[in-house]
Amino acid sequence: MYLLITTLATFIQIYIVLLIIRVLLTWFPTINWYNQPFAALSQITDPYLDLFRRIIPPLGGMDFSPMLAIILLQIAGGLIGGLQAYA
């Protein structure tokens, strides 16, 4: 059980880093999201971000959905981290 919880917590932390990289790369308009490795990053992160884009549409050209997505992952990671203490 401890291995499962630790693996899940590690996955969440890695996914948060990927989301942050994705958000930072959107600041560069010359990036072609159809070329590798950007296409792979987009395929990994966009399905999760699209869940939040349906809730919070871009306002004034700013996409706030990654903030909500990262906050939710941080909360989940904190809860899972709490489970590690009991495992």
Side-chain angles (χ1 to χ4, degrees), residues 58-81:
L59 303 170
M62 296 285 292
D63 187 10
F64 294 102
S65 60
M67 289 190 331
L68 180 61
I70 291 171
I71 289 170
L72 187 69
L73 278 178
Q74 286 285 344
I75 291 170
L79 293 173
I80 290 171

Side-chain angles (χ1 to χ4, degrees), residues 26-46:
T26 60
W27 292 352
F28 301 99
T30 58
I31 290 179
N32 185 355
W33 290 101
Y34 297 105
N35 290 337
Q36 294 298 336
F38 307 116
L41 182 63
S42 178
Q43 289 175 348
I44 292 170
T45 58
D46 279 355

